[in-house]
Amino acid sequence: MAHDAFALDGSVAVVTGGSRGLGEATAVALAEAGADVAPVARSEDELAETAARVEATGAAAHPVTLDVTDSAGIVALFDEVADALGPADVLVNNAGMNPFFGDARDLDTETWEQIFAVNLRGAFECARAFGRRVLDRDGEGALVNVASVGGVRGLPKQVPYVASKHALVGMTKTLAVDWAPDIRVNALAPGYAKTDLTEGVRENESIREDLLTEIPQDRFADPEEIATGVVYLASDAAAYVTGEVHLADGGMAAN
Ligand SMILES: NC(=O)c1ccc[n+]([C@@H]2O[C@H](COP(=O)([O-])OP(=O)(O)OC[C@H]3O[C@@H](n4cnc5c(N)ncnc54)[C@H](OP(=O)(O)O)[C@@H]3O)[C@@H](O)[C@H]2O)c1
C-alpha cells in the first residue's frame, strides 16, 4: 500500500482545550489517524470522556488537567506527557474563549486581559515549551494554532477575541519562520462550528440568520469538519506547508 500521508502513527499529540467542542473532536481525529493523544483542559470529567474516546480508537491517551494561564503548569505538562506517552511532536493550541459580545466602549480591561491570557499567552507558552523540547532533542514537530475566521477579518462586537486571534496568526507566521525547517507552524481558522462557544449566537434567531447570510455554504460546521484540517496540518500531507492560515469557514472569509 502507498504511504498514507495523513497517517500519524508513532506521533504524540498534545491538544489544549481537549475537554469538549473542537478540541475533543480534534483529539479523536488525531487518534483515528494513529497518534497517541494528551487532551488538556480544566474539566477533569470531560477530559476523561475525551480520553475514553481516544482509547476507543486503539490509541493511548493521557489526559492532563491544566489551566493554560498556569505558566509553571505548562512546563510540567510536557514533561508529564513525555513520561506517559513519549515526547510530543504535535501540539494543537486549541484552548480559547470568547466571553465578550458588545460594543468596545463597554469592554473592561480585566476581560481584555483574561481573553488574551488564554487565547494568546497560553498558546505562546505552550508553543515555547513545545518548541524548546523538540529543538533540544533535534527532533521534528508540527504546531497547529486554532485561530478563527476572526483572525483574518473583523467580526462585529468581538473586539478582544478578534484582536487575540489576529495576534495568534502573527505569532504563527513568525514561529514558522523562526523554527523552520524543524517545526512546521500553521494556523487553522474555523468559521462558525456547532460547539458551546457559538451556542449563544446560533440560538439567537436574528443573529443566526444574519450570520448565515455571510456563510456561502449556508450552515454551521460540525466539529469533525474542523478537526480534519488539524490532522492535515499535523501530518506529512502538509510537509511543505508552514506559516499558512488554513481556513475552514464555509467560504465566510471569501465573501
Ligand atoms: N466553535 C467555533 O465556531 C470556533 C470558531 C473559530 C475559532 N474557534 C476556536 O476554536 C477553539 C475551540 O473552541 P470551541 O468552539 O471548541 O470552544 P468550547 O466548546 O467553548 O471549548 C473551549 C475549550 O477550551 C478549553 N479552555 C478554555 N479556557 C481554558 C483554560 N484557561 N485552560 C485550559 N483550557 C481552557 C475548555 O476546557 P475547560 O473549560 O475544561 O478548561 C474547552 O475544552 C477556540 O480557540 C476557539 O476560539 C472556534
Side-chain angles (χ1 to χ4, degrees):
M1 191 181 119
H3 169 64
D4 178 358
F6 293 89
L8 290 169
D9 300 285
S11 280
V12 172
V14 171
V15 181
T16 70
S19 56
R20 59 178 180 277
L22 301 187
E24 178 180 5
T26 296
V28 173
L30 291 167
E32 285 171 345
D36 293 332
V37 182
V40 177
R42 295 164 301 177
S43 311
E44 200 172 344
D45 291 351
E46 290 178 79
L47 275 179
E49 287 169 27
T50 301
R53 290 187 62 197
V54 165
E55 285 169 348
T57 70
H62 183 74
V64 181
T65 308
L66 177 74
D67 187 321
V68 295
T69 64
D70 172 0
S71 304
I74 287 170
V75 175
L77 161 70
F78 286 90
D79 292 334
E80 181 179 334
V81 171
D83 286 346
L85 300 175
D89 55 3
V90 174
L91 168 63
V92 184
N93 268 323
N94 165 82
M97 64 186 316
N98 189 12
F100 179 80
F101 190 84
D103 190 279
R105 289 168 292 179
D106 300 324
L107 174 65
D108 59 74
T109 303
E110 193 185 328
T111 304
W112 172 278
E113 300 279 9
Q114 186 192 20
I115 292 171
F116 271 75
V118 176
N119 293 6
L120 188 64
R121 196 188 73 212
F124 169 68
E125 291 191 344
C126 287
R128 182 176 60 189
F130 173 75
R132 283 176 177 159
R133 278 163 183 72
V134 172
L135 298 174
D136 283 355
R137 66 171 187 269
D138 293 325
E140 291 185 350
L143 167 53
V144 182
N145 293 316
V146 180
S148 165
V149 66
V152 298
R153 55 159 281 182
L155 297 174
K157 297 187 165 53
Q158 302 172 58
V159 70
Y161 180 76
V162 167
S164 73
K165 294 298 187 178
H166 272 71
L168 189 62
V169 167
M171 184 181 102
T172 300
K173 291 178 180 176
T174 300
L175 291 180
V177 174
D178 286 349
W179 291 347
D182 303 309
I183 304 177
R184 291 184 302 99
V185 186
N186 291 291
L188 181 76
Y192 282 79
K194 294 178 221 162
T195 69
D196 293 353
L197 190 81
T198 59
E199 199 174 357
V201 290
R202 285 183 295 108
E203 288 190 350
N204 178 313
E205 202 177 324
S206 82
I207 298 176
R208 176 193 171 89
E209 291 314 311
D210 282 353
L211 257 180
L212 286 173
T213 62
E214 289 200 51
I215 302 171
Q217 285 192 243
D218 196 29
R219 65 180 179 84
F220 302 112
D222 290 323
E224 293 72 22
E225 294 178 296
I226 307 300
T228 50
V230 180
V231 173
Y232 160 67
L233 291 172
S235 73
D236 283 352
Y240 199 57
V241 178
T242 197
E244 192 213 5
V245 183
H246 178 83
L247 284 154
D249 68 343
M252 191 173 174
N255 195 4

